[in-house]
Amino acid sequence: DACASRGDLLRGARFEGRPFAADETGECAVSISAVRSPLASADGAAVDTGAQVHYSLERTPVVGLLTPDRGTARGGTEVIVAGARLDPIGAGGGVDAVEVTLNGYTCAPTASAASSVTCVTGPRDGAIAAPSTRVWIAGRGWALRGADSLASPWAYMDLWSDPLSWLDSELPADGDSVVLPEGQALLLDEDSPTLFLFHISGLVEFDRKDLALNATYIWVAGGTLRVGTEARPFEQHATITLHGDRWNTIELPFIGSKMIAVTNLGGLFGACHVHAGAEVAPASDPCPVRSVGHLDLHGKAHHSWTHIVETADAGATTLRLAEPVAWPVGGRVLVTQSARGQREEIRRVAALEEGGLVLELDEPLANAHLGTWHWHDDAHAPSDLRAAVALLDRTVKVQGDDASARAGNAFQFGAHVGAFHGGVLRVENVEFFRTGQAANLGRYNFHWHHLAMAGRTVDVIDKAYIHNCSIHDTFQRAVVCHGTNYCNIQHNVAYRAKGHNFFTEEGPEKFALIEHNLAVAAVPHPLLLGDDINAAGFWLPGFTGWHRHNLASACPRGWKLSKQAGPGLLQTDFSFLNNSAHLCGFGWRLFPPHQPPTPNTFGTFTAFRCGTCMFYYSSGNINHIDHRFLECTRAIHLNHYMNGLHDEPFFTDAVLVGNIDPDATSAAPGTGLAVHSPKDNEHWLVSGMHVTNYHDTPVLFGCFETACTMRYERTTWVNSSHRTLLKPSPLTGIFHDMDGTLTGFPNGWVTYDEEFNHFDDGVCTWDDPRFPEGMVCGFADGSVRMRRLYVHGQEPWQLDNKLLEVVSDAGNDTVVFDTKKLYGWAVPAIANRTYDMRVADPNDFQQLSWQYGTHPYVFDAHGYLCVPEEAAALNETCHWTQLNRTRVQPVIERLTLHLNYSDWRSGFDGTAGEALQYDPDMDNHTFGSWAHKKWEFQCDLYANLSNASLEECSGRYWDEHSLFLKFELDQQPDLGQVGGRLTSVISEKEAPRSMTQSFTARECPASGCWRPRAPGADEGGWQRWSDPEVWACAKLTEGATIRECRPRQAR
């Protein structure tokens, strides 16, 4: 019904097939399905054509191994092409019925049989072409290429050892420079002399035998340097040694000296400037070049590192491995340490047994090495604590000369390898030794430099990598990704590399894959960045890249994030999953302060026996899921926190283990306080925390150097009796138990024991052994709220660092002054109570402020909970971390505060609420409303006060006190000052966002103090005090015995 004619219905067809073996025959039916017209309302039914396709390879020729698989570009090499069904069919036959081309150049047949064709190569008189083998047999057609042919392609190569390969038939000698131009291919079939410069714009390949290449500069400029291939790794021994020293070897622009530098030929013009500062061209539209440089180094394939699966005791000579290996007998292996105070150990392979799963060592181990997982007593997966074992030796080796390791001009001036502004690096199973150049920035062991900034991302994405390499005893870093996207860094081992090891340099780098790498014993370096003195296994300039399945062992820092100015500040796509740090100084360290612009999620992280397992100077916007901290000196230390009340938890399902020995009765030696919460944020949230085997070692400590509120939910406690560390100085803040898993009831509160909270209605208890020196407050119905009452802004300065005396109906106590962060006092106040405060100093406050919690904390429902039905109504979905969580609902929170003073106050100015002439009432008045009164018992000491003054001193509240009262009190200076009380309230009514009230005291009315007029010429000059005519005196009020005297107006 779509159209009147059927002639227009077929618009396109897709042909589907299947692979089949060379000796297979058969048949299949042909059908057309899902016929569709653009005008049709639905797909048509399948159409059976009734046709059959019969296929058979019994007549198709197949080519296999080429012998030899390379020959001189001058031609004349006889090549035997092995295969099957290579004899022609039909009239004629013979070599005239056969055609062979190798890499696009004719190879003239000289003999033909069913199993082979013999041909003689012609000269390669054009460019180096991609490998290809094409054979045509008359009567049979084009031959298929078998596996042997694909694994061993033909190459036109001239021999290094052949004098005819060289200009004037003169082979290079020590000190010579060799320039290999475009279109030339050279097979290194003997050890090279020690060259000065080896400039490669053509192709150089190592022959399949033990060889050495020596030079000061190796510059692959649009050409190719190849040692093995991905398909056929180099199983012999190839050693590339770079020579030179720090003072006499001249650096070439950009690429340096004593190096293997890879660049492209051409390009780098216009927008493709080498230091454009950002990616100037995507991979889909790269900056054009004439030819692309390639470095292909492919050593014999090996597992670079694995774990042991059984603990090896001290004295053991056998290691049982997690994966089978084929490491060479005599090869050096590295075994990482498992205990504090120990070192990694180097041994050699004596033998392999059980298919490579058992490794026999040449010498016994000096220390025990763990081969176990720690199984937790809840639903968490076990934590991997196993020591790692790595192979350090490789068949292909890049190294600096011997002088690099000796005192002298070349000391710690090793080789470096890199691609600069373009070029392809494909490096696997290579050993790097004595590489990197100390104190010479940018001359790293292995380096991608500014490929994205030069518009050559195409040279990296899906092409370049460094895999399965051993990088040890280097003088500057291990692997660096700088100004380049899509760096691929997998399965490598770095051991005793100076400075940060795996290093993403500047910040604009995107999509770097750093996966399953092992960094061991990173060496501090005082001559690089400032923080290289505490070298990290893995270093980042911002939240960028993918870090997965890596292990840092015995490094000063496992991971270090140090924000860099520029594009790195905006990076916010950092994938962090299943990484581990064992016995590092810091497992994770972020400094200076930084948080990603949008939320990031970090997956599993295991920190074992580190000093501080995770330290953030200041951050937020990160949800750490399934982080495990085992036997840490300090598990978590966060200085500052940037999250808001409704952001994701900083930790979800954290695991804390004080001792991995299930039979222990105390935390392990060296294990200390677990969680040190941030010092300046009320919104810290941990959702899920499993604590095991801390015993009597305290676990939670709050608010480093200050006081704050810390929220916890879904906590479990096993063999951990001392849950918090609470101190009066510095004040440790308030722990908010959202769901009852910390205290035993929802909205429970834990803080330091202060007698002013010993209320007799049972709201608080102070004898719970789980919280030594602390008190637990709350009711089973969850109705109680405790907030930080932050008293600050004190003037004069003499009040600084004094105690704050706090009194309530329950008792009195003192609160210490916080000099570190708050620069004031933090009072744990229970809502709907009254507190009386005074600074313990003879000076009275001239200015003083207080803040009650935070506005969202008091007035918003909070907790990282998502209700699926509510989310669906907004066309949203709940993340699994938001299910089965707690939501805290707001309640009415009010407070009455008394601030006491001892010297004269006429009035106070406040920033919130209103001044009242009667007693402020927290149930009826707005937030911050205030009034003040004089102490009646102090006024009673004064004689002969007027009736008005007696009224002001009657103990009732006023918004102002008069100067008349002050005058009368001043007439009796032998009596003490009359002090008073300023009372203010906290309520939900008109509460400002700041939740703050600030008071300034006045000695005079708002209109100002009375001042005598200054004498002047218009007043008739000076008057004498002794002249009775000068004075006008009168009683203040009826019944007063004290007069007020004022000078008369000058005559």
Side-chain angles (χ1 to χ4, degrees):
D1 59 350
C3 56
S5 171
R6 298 182 180 180
D8 197 34
L9 285 178
L10 184 61
R11 293 297 184 90
R14 180 178 65 189
F15 295 88
E16 298 180 350
R18 69 175 187 84
F20 52 94
D23 57 352
E24 184 179 357
T25 62
E27 63 182 30
C28 62
V30 177
S31 64
I32 301 174
S33 62
V35 177
R36 168 177 283 182
S37 166
L39 303 178
S41 58
D43 290 350
V47 177
D48 187 354
T49 64
Q52 296 283 329
V53 173
H54 296 268
Y55 58 90
S56 171
L57 293 183
E58 61 182 8
R59 295 165 58 94
T60 303
V62 178
V63 299
L65 193 66
L66 307 180
T67 308
D69 60 3
R70 62 197 63 205
T72 174
R74 299 187 299 274
T77 303
E78 184 176 83
V79 180
I80 299 175
V81 183
R85 298 179 291 277
L86 299 179
D87 50 322
I89 297 177
V95 296
D96 294 335
V98 177
E99 297 178 8
V100 180
T101 60
L102 301 177
N103 300 0
Y105 297 96
T106 298
C107 186
T110 59
S112 174
S115 59
S116 66
V117 170
T118 303
C119 63
V120 176
T121 61
R124 180 180 59 77
D125 51 5
I128 298 175
S132 66
T133 302
R134 292 178 61 82
V135 177
W136 184 84
I137 306 295
R140 295 183 181 273
W142 293 107
L144 297 176
R145 294 184 64 186
D148 290 340
S149 175
L150 295 172
S152 179
W154 172 259
Y156 278 103
M157 305 286 292
D158 292 309
L159 301 181
W160 182 288
S161 61
D162 185 355
L164 296 178
S165 300
W166 299 96
L167 184 66
D168 299 326
S169 299
E170 182 180 358
L171 272 68
D174 286 348
D176 282 352
S177 292
V178 171
V179 177
L180 189 70
E182 295 175 85
Q184 297 257 352
L186 197 62
L187 182 69
L188 183 67
D189 60 337
E190 64 181 15
D191 292 348
S192 79
T194 301
L195 304 174
F196 179 66
L197 168 66
F198 191 7
H199 187 278
I200 303 169
S201 294
L203 169 64
V204 176
E205 185 170 349
F206 277 44
D207 200 2
R208 299 286 173 157
K209 59 182 179 180
D210 293 351
L211 289 169
L213 173 61
N214 291 268
T216 299
Y217 307 88
I218 299 177
W219 185 353
V220 183
T224 298
L225 174 59
R226 181 186 300 149
V227 182
T229 64
E230 291 178 343
R232 290 186 60 203
F234 196 87
E235 300 198 0
Q236 297 75 24
H237 288 86
T239 303
I240 302 175
T241 304
L242 282 305
H243 300 259
D245 67 54
R246 189 180 302 276
W247 310 117
N248 299 305
T249 305
I250 298 173
E251 283 217 346
L252 301 180
F254 295 119
I255 62 176
S257 63
K258 202 171 183 178
M259 81 299 178
I260 304 176
V262 181
T263 66
N264 294 332
L265 271 184
L268 304 182
F269 57 87
C272 299
H273 190 270
V274 295
H275 283 124
E279 186 174 15
V280 297
S284 59
D285 186 23
C287 291
V289 298
R290 192 166 78 197
S291 61
V292 177
H294 288 79
L295 177 66
D296 275 283
L297 304 179
H298 306 272
K300 183 177 180 179
H302 285 295
H303 271 90
S304 57
W305 67 281
T306 186
H307 291 280
I308 62 176
V309 295
E310 290 181 358
T311 296
D313 295 326
T317 58
T318 299
L319 297 176
R320 184 168 290 276
L321 307 181
E323 302 165 279
V325 300
W327 295 345
V329 172
R332 292 172 299 162
V333 292
L334 163 71
V335 187
T336 62
Q337 61 265 59
S338 292
R340 294 183 175 99
Q342 297 180 359
R343 292 289 305 275
E344 67 282 351
E345 302 190 58
I346 304 294
R347 296 292 184 268
R348 291 189 180 272
V349 178
L352 291 172
E353 299 176 357
E354 297 185 24
L357 287 172
V358 174
L359 170 63
E360 295 290 340
L361 302 174
D362 65 327
E363 295 181 12
L365 293 169
N367 302 304
H369 299 265
L370 291 179
T372 60
W373 297 73
H374 180 72
W375 292 86
H376 305 282
D377 46 9
D378 68 343
H380 283 86
S383 297
D384 191 354
L385 309 182
R386 300 172 298 169
V389 187
L391 176 67
L392 295 181
D393 296 332
R394 299 291 191 275
T395 58
V396 176
K397 187 174 186 178
V398 176
Q399 63 181 11
D401 53 10
D402 293 342
S404 306
R406 297 195 305 265
N409 289 350
F411 182 58
Q412 295 190 8
F413 190 78
H416 74 98
V417 177
F420 297 84
H421 317 122
V424 176
L425 299 176
R426 287 191 291 253
V427 177
E428 59 183 338
N429 292 295
V430 173
E431 178 183 350
F432 293 89
F433 173 57
R434 298 194 300 245
T435 46
Q437 298 172 0
N440 194 11
L441 290 176
R443 305 306 176 214
Y444 311 123
N445 167 75
F446 187 93
H447 186 194
W448 281 282
H449 182 78
H450 282 201
L451 272 73
M453 295 178 178
R456 292 300 301 180
T457 297
V458 68
D459 293 343
V460 186
I461 185 171
D462 295 330
K463 294 179 183 175
Y465 54 80
I466 177 169
H467 290 172
N468 292 301
C469 290
S470 165
I471 304 162
H472 63 92
D473 300 288
T474 73
F475 308 128
Q476 188 173 171
R477 312 218 188 285
V479 181
V480 175
C481 180
H482 183 196
T484 301
N485 299 336
Y486 300 98
C487 296
N488 189 317
I489 305 163
Q490 295 178 281
H491 316 299
N492 302 287
V493 175
Y495 172 53
R496 292 192 56 79
K498 283 184 178 292
H500 306 311
N501 286 191
F502 297 95
F503 187 81
T504 307
E505 182 158 339
E506 191 174 2
E509 301 83 5
K510 299 177 182 177
F511 313 122
L513 176 60
I514 300 175
E515 185 175 62
H516 193 250
N517 299 286
L518 172 65
V520 182
V523 179
H525 199 319
L527 301 175
L528 287 173
L529 301 179
D531 62 357
D532 273 291
I533 197 67
N534 291 301
F538 302 85
W539 191 95
L540 299 111
F543 289 86
T544 176
W546 298 296
H547 284 231
R548 302 171 181 168
H549 315 300
N550 302 289
L551 171 61
S553 176
C555 298
R557 307 287 185 262
W559 271 258
K560 173 70 165 65
L561 193 153
S562 180
K563 71 173 182 181
Q564 303 299 300
L569 295 178
L570 303 178
Q571 294 275 30
T572 187
D573 185 24
F574 181 38
S575 174
F576 187 83
L577 176 65
N578 194 35
N579 298 290
S580 299
H582 292 181
L583 294 123
C584 295
F586 284 76
W588 227 115
R589 180 177 171 86
L590 183 150
F591 181 86
H594 184 44
Q595 74 171 13
T598 59
N600 277 227
T601 299
F602 288 6
T604 302
F605 175 62
T606 301
F608 176 51
R609 290 178 176 169
C610 296
T612 297
C613 285
M614 177 167 278
F615 173 88
Y616 285 81
Y617 186 81
S618 180
S619 194
N621 256 347
I622 310 170
N623 186 3
H624 303 80
I625 298 177
D626 189 27
H627 279 39
R628 296 108 179 278
F629 306 100
L630 301 96
E631 294 191 8
C632 300
T633 303
R634 177 163 296 168
I636 302 161
H637 190 135
L638 184 64
N639 248 19
H640 304 274
Y641 189 42
M642 299 179 180
N643 275 20
L645 179 68
H646 303 296
D647 292 331
E648 299 177 78
F650 204 68
F651 287 98
T652 297
D653 297 331
V655 177
L656 305 172
V657 179
N659 199 321
I660 63 173
D661 181 359
D663 299 322
T665 57
S666 64
T671 300
L673 188 68
V675 181
H676 213 155
S677 307
K679 59 187 176 184
D680 56 356
N681 186 292
E682 288 283 271
H683 304 138
W684 170 259
L685 174 59
V686 174
S687 178
M689 183 179 70
H690 184 75
V691 184
T692 304
N693 295 343
Y694 269 81
H695 298 284
D696 58 356
T697 297
V699 176
L700 304 178
F701 180 74
C703 311
F704 175 58
E705 296 180 340
T706 183
C708 64
T709 304
M710 302 146 287
R711 297 177 294 163
Y712 287 86
E713 66 173 354
R714 300 190 306 111
T715 64
T716 55
W717 304 83
V718 178
N719 298 330
S720 301
S721 58
H722 195 156
R723 298 189 177 183
T724 58
L725 176 63
L726 297 161
K727 296 180 178 180
S729 177
L731 189 65
T732 48
I734 301 167
F735 296 94
H736 180 187
D737 179 11
M738 298 170 63
D739 63 351
T741 55
L742 175 63
T743 63
F745 46 85
N747 291 315
W749 310 85
V750 180
T751 190
Y752 182 70
D753 182 11
E754 306 276 9
E755 288 195 10
F756 52 74
N757 282 327
H758 284 204
F759 294 100
D760 58 10
D761 60 356
V763 67
C764 296
T765 59
W766 43 91
D767 55 359
D768 192 326
R770 299 172 300 173
F771 310 104
E773 304 296 321
M775 63 191 324
V776 182
C777 300
F779 290 135
D781 62 2
S783 61
V784 173
R785 298 292 183 268
M786 178 182 282
R787 303 295 182 205
R788 180 187 74 175
L789 182 65
Y790 171 31
V791 182
H792 62 289
Q794 62 282 348
E795 290 288 347
W797 63 266
Q798 285 86 354
L799 303 181
D800 296 353
N801 212 24
K802 299 300 193 301
L803 295 174
L804 182 69
E805 298 172 345
V806 183
V807 180
S808 73
D809 294 341
N812 64 281
D813 219 322
T814 57
V815 176
V816 298
F817 185 89
D818 173 33
T819 60
K820 293 290 188 178
K821 181 65 181 178
L822 297 177
Y823 214 74
W825 302 268
V827 179
I830 300 175
N832 304 307
R833 310 278 167 156
T834 299
Y835 293 92
D836 190 299
M837 297 180 290
R838 190 185 193 285
V839 181
D841 188 80
N843 294 282
D844 265 325
F845 71 90
Q846 298 167 1
Q847 295 180 10
L848 198 68
S849 302
W850 48 256
Q851 177 186 350
Y852 182 74
T854 68
H855 193 282
Y857 206 1
V858 174
F859 292 102
D860 294 358
H862 61 88
Y864 197 59
L865 170 70
C866 179
V867 179
E869 293 77 13
E870 296 177 1
L874 300 173
N875 293 321
E876 298 175 355
T877 58
C878 294
H879 192 270
W880 66 269
T881 59
Q882 295 177 268
L883 302 175
N884 303 316
R885 303 300 189 258
T886 307
R887 178 172 290 170
V888 176
Q889 299 294 339
V891 299
I892 298 298
E893 299 185 41
R894 296 167 181 166
L895 211 63
T896 298
L897 301 177
H898 299 310
L899 301 173
N900 300 291
Y901 56 92
S902 59
D903 60 0
W904 171 261
R905 294 288 186 265
S906 175
F908 294 87
D909 295 323
T911 58
E914 58 180 332
L916 305 173
Q917 296 193 37
Y918 38 82
D919 191 355
D921 182 356
M922 65 179 177
D923 294 326
N924 296 303
H925 293 137
T926 60
F927 183 101
S929 293
W930 77 95
H932 66 293
K933 68 179 181 179
K934 299 297 182 186
W935 294 119
E936 184 177 9
F937 72 92
Q938 293 181 352
C939 290
D940 289 344
L941 300 176
Y942 285 76
N944 301 318
L945 294 180
S946 67
N947 292 337
S949 293
L950 290 173
E951 174 67 16
E952 288 192 60
C953 273
S954 65
R956 60 162 286 197
Y957 279 92
W958 302 81
D959 61 344
E960 294 278 354
H961 281 293
S962 70
L963 289 178
F964 297 108
L965 174 60
K966 180 176 178 6
F967 176 79
E968 290 194 37
L969 297 176
D970 287 346
Q971 302 307 306
Q972 304 180 56
D974 54 322
L975 296 177
Q977 285 273 12
V978 174
R981 165 182 284 174
L982 170 66
T983 299
S984 184
V985 297
I986 293 170
S987 78
E988 75 283 1
K989 300 178 182 65
E990 299 182 21
R993 292 294 301 179
S994 65
M995 298 295 286
T996 298
Q997 168 67 294
S998 298
F999 288 114
T1000 301
R1002 288 186 282 102
E1003 292 191 359
C1004 301
S1007 59
C1009 297
W1010 175 84
R1011 297 180 182 179
R1013 298 185 61 182
D1018 61 331
E1019 296 176 336
W1022 295 95
Q1023 302 181 77
R1024 294 182 182 276
W1025 182 286
S1026 59
D1027 183 355
E1029 297 298 322
V1030 169
W1031 299 100
C1033 297
K1035 293 182 179 181
L1036 292 174
T1037 60
E1038 183 66 29
T1041 60
I1042 298 174
R1043 299 182 305 163
E1044 177 189 33
C1045 295
R1046 295 173 179 265
R1048 299 179 189 275
Q1049 204 57 262
R1051 295 184 295 276

